[in-house]
Amino acid sequence: MSDNSPKVVKQTVNLGNLPYFSDVDDSGKRMVMFHQDSIVDRFPINTIRKIY
């Protein structure tokens, strides 16, 4: 039996000010950029695993 409970992981995220979309990359995805960066190390993010 697998454990499908949510987990908290620590990630580095940018919680910058005034987000905007930049150009499209080679894979067709648009990047989110910020006018002023605010990098936060070990920001807790709750992950939910898909139940099959």
Side-chain angles (χ1 to χ4, degrees):
M1 181 179 272
S2 64
D3 180 22
N4 289 325
S5 60
K7 295 189 177 196
V8 175
V9 295
K10 305 288 184 169
Q11 293 289 318
T12 300
V13 295
N14 186 351
L15 298 177
N17 295 330
L18 300 171
Y20 64 94
F21 290 104
S22 69
D23 296 331
V24 177
D25 65 8
D26 294 336
S27 64
K29 296 179 184 174
R30 293 170 51 181
M31 299 292 295
V32 176
M33 306 297 285
F34 296 93
H35 291 280
Q36 180 180 359
D37 290 329
S38 178
I39 306 297
V40 178
D41 290 325
R42 299 180 49 79
F43 187 84
I45 297 176
N46 187 4
T47 63
I48 300 175
R49 295 183 182 184
K50 186 175 182 178
I51 300 173
Y52 295 97

